[in-house]
Amino acid sequence: MENTHEHLIIACVGTNINHQSNIAKAREILDSTFADCRFSRVMLTLPIGMDNTNVRFANMLVVFNSTLDTEGIVSKLKQIERQCGDTRMARSRGEVVMDIDLLRYDDERFHLSDWQRHYVKTLMGEMLQLTNV
């Protein structure tokens, strides 16, 4: 549901295969879906809670404004995951083509355990220096 008030959104983007092309595709779709996207740098990390520990993830944060409510944002992010080629079948093989999680909607935090992850803390700190998040 849309209203006229702009909300500050922060999301975390990650993939564990074809890092460069998947991150580029996600950036392109996010940029065309939401206005004024600001992206962090990409950081490679080890997987958390997965069996295949030698496959690294490429992670970045994206900050943007939207008039959508939280349900609308989450729905759009899941749609973008699918547009990037993410499927349940791929996930069952340990391939995360694209994962985009809502971390913050205005002052409300989501995926609270993600906020404790080193890469989220690092990238969030860098984003804070560049923009008023």
Side-chain angles (χ1 to χ4, degrees), residues 46-63:
L46 291 172
I48 298 169
M50 293 180 74
D51 293 336
N52 195 353
T53 57
N54 60 348
V55 176
R56 293 190 179 266
F57 272 79
N59 298 285
M60 72 177 172
L61 299 182
V62 58
V63 178

Side-chain angles (χ1 to χ4, degrees), residues 48 101-103 109-121:
I48 298 169
D101 292 326
L102 173 62
L103 292 181
R109 289 183 173 200
F110 297 85
H111 295 274
L112 297 180
S113 62
D114 290 2
W115 287 86
Q116 301 309 310
R117 294 182 178 176
H118 170 71
Y119 66 91
V120 171
K121 288 180 177 181

Side-chain angles (χ1 to χ4, degrees), residues 6 13 17 21-22 29 32 36 39 42 46 48 56 76 78 82 85 87 93 97 103 108 113-114 122 127 129 132:
E6 290 272 309
V13 178
I17 61 168
S21 61
N22 285 339
I29 297 170
S32 67
D36 301 323
F39 297 94
V42 175
L46 291 172
I48 298 169
R56 293 190 179 266
K76 281 281 189 200
K78 295 301 163 200
R82 290 188 299 275
T87 63
R93 293 189 305 266
V97 178
L103 292 181
E108 188 176 357
S113 62
D114 290 2
T122 300
M127 294 289 285
Q129 292 176 0
N132 186 20

